[in-house]
């Protein structure tokens, strides 16, 4: 058995022994996510089968199957008959959930990071004004950053936020949505449009690729519970690492 799998089995047994009310299948799924996040389970790793997991950890195959279904639903693994269960190398991002990039990455057992390129106040363009429902040339914060998943640069994102919603821009860390929530601003829903194009020189300068791949352009507006636009973002995403999902 691979060393990674031996470590995972030890962590699963330890987690199952902890006295709390969490269902076993959730303990199982959370432990696998943690192993992915810490690098114990690398991208592309083929996990042991249900029978092996059941025998080595002492839980039922039904529990293992339910945990794997949860991990697949969360985009952490891909299961295929005759091939097995594999740790995903792509990142599934929900266009429906108003959770923000960082939270979605963490929920899928991966590690998010951000390299800030710009944080400054600008006069908004007609496009930004329309999306944020503010007057043209109003002050908005331009927040530009490079997004990382498990140390891989995956996207360049520009966010525009009405200036009055940010008290101190330096308080924004990896996650803009975490900052929003700290200010009692709750993202409730999003509206998104997706298109594709080839990468330009600016994208290539931020995300260096040996072979250029198409870029997915995601234009998204986030709304609070009062249906007020609180962010307009334009994300330029590597098509080889992103899978966008939208479910009713």
């Amino acid at each position: 058995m691979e060393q990674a799998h031996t470590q995972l089995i030890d962590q699963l047994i330890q987690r199952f022994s902890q006295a709390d009310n969490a269902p076993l299948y959730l303990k199982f799924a959370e432990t696998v996510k943690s192993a992915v996040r810490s690098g114990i389970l690398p991208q592309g790793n083929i996990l042991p089968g249900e029978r092996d997991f059941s025998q080595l950890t002492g839980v039922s195959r039904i529990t293992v199957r339910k945990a794997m279904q949860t991990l697949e639903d969360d985009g952490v693994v891909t299961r295929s008959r005759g091939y097995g269960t594999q740790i995903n190398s792509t990142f599934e991002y929900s266009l429906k959930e108003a959770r923000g990039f960082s939270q979605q990455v963490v929920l899928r057992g991966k590690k998010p990071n951000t390299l800030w390129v710009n944080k400054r106040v600008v006069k908004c363009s007609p496009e930004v004004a329309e999306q944020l429902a503010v007057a043209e040339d109003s002050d908005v914060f331009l927040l530009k950053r490079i997004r990382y998943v498990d140390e891989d640069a995956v996207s360049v994102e520009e966010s525009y936020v009405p200036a009055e919603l940010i008290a101190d821009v330096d308080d924004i860390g990896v996650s803009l949505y975490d900052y929003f929530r700290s200010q009692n601003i709750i993202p409730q829903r999003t509206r998104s449009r997706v298109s594709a194009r080839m990468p330009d020189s600016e994208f290539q300068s931020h995300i260096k690729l040996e072979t250029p791949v198409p870029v997915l352009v995601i234009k998204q507006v986030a709304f609070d519970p009062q249906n007020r636009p609180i962010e307009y973002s334009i994300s330029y995403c590597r098509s080889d690492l992103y899978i966008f999902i939208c479910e009713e």
Side-chain angles (χ1 to χ4, degrees):
M1 179 180 291
E2 294 182 25
Q3 182 179 359
H5 297 162
T6 300
Q7 289 181 264
L8 176 61
I9 295 300
D10 290 342
Q11 291 181 358
L12 285 168
I13 293 172
Q14 181 180 6
R15 180 68 180 96
F16 293 152
S17 67
Q18 294 174 358
D20 58 55
N21 294 325
L24 285 177
Y25 80 93
L26 286 182
K27 290 183 178 182
F28 194 119
E30 290 166 2
T31 304
V32 172
K33 288 181 181 180
S34 178
V36 173
R37 194 179 304 122
S38 65
I40 291 174
L41 291 175
Q43 297 175 0
N45 186 270
I46 305 296
L47 294 176
E50 290 180 4
R51 178 181 298 174
D52 292 332
F53 268 130
S54 177
Q55 291 176 346
L56 292 168
T57 63
V59 300
S60 70
R61 291 185 65 175
I62 294 175
T63 295
V64 177
R65 189 174 303 126
K66 194 169 183 179
M68 291 302 166
Q69 182 63 58
T70 299
L71 290 167
E72 185 173 40
D73 291 343
D74 287 346
V76 179
V77 303
T78 297
R79 296 188 297 171
S80 58
R81 186 179 298 275
Y83 187 67
T85 301
Q86 183 177 31
I87 301 297
N88 275 338
S89 57
T90 56
F91 168 58
E92 287 193 355
Y93 186 95
S94 173
L95 295 175
K96 180 183 178 183
E97 300 173 7
R99 283 177 170 161
F101 174 88
S102 297
Q103 187 178 5
Q104 292 205 46
V105 172
V106 170
L107 286 172
R108 283 155 176 79
K110 298 178 183 292
K111 180 182 178 182
N113 207 347
T114 292
L115 175 63
W116 286 100
V117 177
N118 214 331
K119 293 180 181 180
R120 62 188 176 96
V121 174
V122 299
K123 300 294 184 181
C124 67
S125 66
E127 177 188 357
V128 173
E130 179 182 3
Q131 298 298 330
L132 290 178
V134 298
E136 188 176 336
D137 289 331
S138 295
D139 285 345
V140 296
F141 273 101
L142 165 61
L143 309 174
K144 186 170 183 176
R145 62 263 209 202
I146 303 171
R147 298 290 208 173
Y148 291 80
V149 174
D150 290 341
E151 308 304 325
D152 290 322
V154 297
S155 63
V156 177
E157 181 177 309
E158 299 172 0
S159 289
Y160 298 88
V161 179
E164 66 271 16
L165 297 185
I166 297 178
D168 187 345
V169 72
D170 291 329
D171 286 341
I172 303 173
V174 173
S175 171
L176 171 61
Y177 280 24
D178 282 351
Y179 173 80
F180 275 156
R181 283 184 280 267
S182 75
Q183 303 298 306
N184 295 316
I185 302 170
I186 309 301
Q188 182 71 27
R189 68 178 183 89
T190 59
R191 183 183 69 216
S192 308
R193 298 185 67 180
V194 182
S195 59
R197 72 175 199 194
M198 291 304 294
D200 58 17
S201 58
E202 182 182 8
F203 184 88
Q204 287 284 82
S205 70
H206 290 307
I207 300 182
K208 297 175 175 59
L209 302 174
E210 293 183 4
T211 303
V213 297
V215 174
L216 297 174
V217 182
I218 316 300
K219 296 185 177 184
Q220 186 174 80
V221 183
F223 299 87
D224 68 6
Q226 288 72 46
N227 211 34
R228 174 182 58 163
I230 58 175
E231 179 206 18
Y232 174 51
S233 64
I234 306 174
S235 300
Y236 305 90
C237 309
R238 288 177 55 174
S239 62
D240 60 329
L241 291 182
Y242 266 88
I243 297 175
F244 288 92
I245 57 175
C246 186
E247 300 174 346
E248 293 298 332

